[in-house]
Amino acid sequence: MDFVMEIVFEFIAGFLFIYPGAFLRWVFFGRKQKLDSYIQKGNAYNFIISFSLILGLGLLITKLF
């Protein structure tokens, strides 16, 4: 059961933290390379950008409501 939970959480974390960060890097750096290259390299940067975005949106929503 622990193995299944680990796979599920790894997939969710990968989806929530890697892809949005790679997309934002791709948009802000001028789309000179393919999106896939931003996904494959710089996972730490993608994670930091996505985590900051999620945290910032969460703080913004809690302040508004």
Side-chain angles (χ1 to χ4, degrees), residues 45-61:
Y45 295 124
N46 296 341
F47 180 82
I48 291 168
I49 291 170
S50 294
F51 183 75
S52 299
L53 177 72
I54 291 169
L55 184 66
L57 287 175
L59 290 174
L60 180 68
I61 289 172

Side-chain angles (χ1 to χ4, degrees):
M1 187 65 171
D2 292 335
F3 182 69
V4 174
M5 293 297 286
E6 182 179 345
I7 291 173
V8 169
F9 283 126
E10 187 172 327
F11 174 75
I12 290 172
F15 183 75
L16 286 178
F17 291 122
I18 301 300
Y19 292 108
F23 178 73
L24 289 174
R25 287 179 59 207
W26 179 66
V27 168
F28 287 124
F29 289 131
R31 297 179 297 274
K32 295 177 184 175
Q33 300 174 357
K34 291 184 177 183
L35 179 61
D36 293 335
S37 66
Y38 285 105
I39 291 172
Q40 291 174 355
K41 62 181 180 180
N43 284 338
Y45 295 124
N46 296 341
F47 180 82
I48 291 168
I49 291 170
S50 294
F51 183 75
S52 299
L53 177 72
I54 291 169
L55 184 66
L57 287 175
L59 290 174
L60 180 68
I61 289 172
T62 57
K63 294 290 181 183
L64 290 177
F65 298 107

